[in-house]
Amino acid sequence: KPFVALAGLELNVVTQQSRTFCPGFYSLPGNSHRYRCWKRIGHGHVDLKSAMAESCDVYFYDLAHAIGIDRLHGFLDLFGFGHQTGVDIPGESKGLSPSREWKRNQRNQAWYPGETLISGIGQGFNQMTPIQLAHATATLGMMGTVYTPQLVRATKADNDEGMQLLGVQQADSLPIQNSSHWQSVIEAMVEVVHGKRGTARHIGTDLPFQIAGKTGTAQVFGIAKDAKYDEELLAKKLHDHALFVAFAPADDPEIAIAVVVENGGSGSATAAPIARKLIDVYFGIETDEPVTE
């Protein structure tokens, strides 16, 4: 959602002040099918900041529809979705960032407008690896400066006297036309953790700085339009995957994190506390809170 929001701003589809009404579902013009928001009673009127903080699906359905899948795919391509990050681990997956062309070539099928909507919330055909999420989040936190992820920090050959540090590989900055758009999205992500209605507000206390983050959920299987997801009735292997991405401090990032908890359910309840604990350890912040499983 942060990357879709940035696309909307950069492509002049929305502004920070643009508002969408969320009644709990979204329907395409002339179509009665309802694409549900996670909050069945809806979020009411939301702008970019409140939609991000409360993770309103309807706002991002509407935004994705206005952008269109071709422009959306092209923008997400800038952040490396659908490509290898180049991390020094063999066998890295490219993931999948779907497009009209991809579906025609790979499935010999037309692209449907409803598929654009669910792509706008990162679901549907989308496949992203944890390293892609962390890499894209770091790029966002650095306002477009791209670094190739590295696992190995230094090497030592038999005849070397000491460890030889490997240089950091930096690519060109992303071609964002309006630099204020970075700040708009980052401020919205800060609201996720520190806002009164932020989905990860419970991890934002007792910190000497602010965290920019975003909760997420990856569905393991689809449910019928009028059915209700009830994890108590489902086998563990069918529970949603829990996601959380973050960088900190929000105004001068040192660390970017992507947490994926398989079948963990809620990104807010499961993945976000793990990210907070990692941030505490990295910055030496002492807390009495245990790591939740």
Side-chain angles (χ1 to χ4, degrees):
K1 290 177 180 175
F3 307 101
V4 176
L6 184 61
L9 293 171
E10 182 67 7
L11 296 171
N12 297 314
V13 175
V14 292
T15 67
Q16 275 189 289
Q17 293 74 36
S18 300
R19 290 163 65 85
T20 299
F21 181 72
C22 170
F25 63 90
Y26 180 84
S27 293
L28 287 163
N31 195 312
S32 61
H33 182 84
R34 294 184 173 186
Y35 297 85
R36 293 177 297 185
C37 185
W38 71 265
K39 189 175 183 180
R40 284 179 170 269
I41 62 172
H43 292 92
H45 289 282
V46 290
D47 57 15
L48 187 149
K49 183 176 286 188
S50 58
M52 188 82 70
E54 300 178 53
S55 202
C56 175
D57 293 329
V58 166
Y59 178 92
F60 289 95
Y61 289 150
D62 188 56
L63 179 53
H65 178 62
I67 294 172
I69 190 58
D70 295 324
R71 290 197 297 173
L72 183 58
H73 171 80
F75 192 85
L76 295 178
D77 191 73
L78 296 175
F79 286 88
F81 293 115
H83 303 278
Q84 293 178 333
T85 65
V87 66
D88 46 344
I89 301 174
E92 182 189 6
S93 171
K94 295 192 302 182
L96 174 60
S97 181
S99 66
R100 192 187 310 272
E101 182 182 11
W102 165 82
K103 194 180 180 191
R104 183 174 60 247
N105 291 340
Q106 296 299 318
R107 302 198 172 191
N108 196 28
Q109 295 175 348
W111 184 269
Y112 297 106
E115 293 169 336
T116 301
L117 305 188
I118 56 177
S119 289
I121 63 170
Q123 297 191 2
F125 296 116
N126 284 279
Q127 297 176 12
M128 301 165 191
T129 66
I131 191 66
Q132 283 179 328
L133 290 170
H135 181 233
T137 301
T139 301
L140 178 56
M142 295 295 291
M143 296 188 181
T145 301
V146 182
Y147 292 98
T148 301
Q150 277 180 226
L151 180 67
V152 178
R153 179 172 174 79
T155 61
K156 184 179 184 301
D158 288 341
N159 58 346
D160 289 341
E161 292 185 3
M163 300 293 289
Q164 303 298 312
L165 288 176
L166 297 180
V168 176
Q169 299 180 40
Q170 179 181 338
D172 294 333
S173 297
L174 298 190
I176 300 300
Q177 300 300 314
N178 190 333
S179 59
S180 69
H181 293 158
W182 294 111
Q183 198 58 44
S184 296
V185 174
I186 291 171
E187 288 174 0
M189 293 176 69
V190 168
E191 198 73 8
V192 172
V193 180
H194 300 280
K196 291 182 179 179
R197 296 185 178 180
T199 53
R201 60 188 179 277
H202 57 291
I203 72 162
T205 59
D206 302 322
L207 279 166
F209 50 75
Q210 290 185 317
I211 297 172
K214 184 68 191 77
T215 55
T217 303
Q219 290 180 321
V220 176
F221 76 108
I223 57 176
K225 181 176 70 170
D226 297 319
K228 182 180 179 181
Y229 173 81
D230 188 344
E231 66 177 25
E232 293 183 2
L233 300 178
L234 295 173
K236 181 70 174 178
K237 66 179 182 180
L238 296 179
H239 287 192
D240 292 341
H241 300 323
L243 280 75
F244 186 72
V245 297
F247 56 87
D251 60 350
D252 188 17
E254 292 185 31
I255 183 173
I257 295 173
V259 176
V260 180
V261 183
E262 292 185 351
N263 307 119
S266 166
S268 172
T270 309
I274 295 173
R276 169 60 197 268
K277 194 65 178 179
L278 290 168
I279 290 170
D280 287 345
V281 171
Y282 180 86
F283 289 102
I285 299 171
E286 295 188 7
T287 174
D288 296 328
E289 292 293 324
V291 175
T292 57
E293 293 185 358

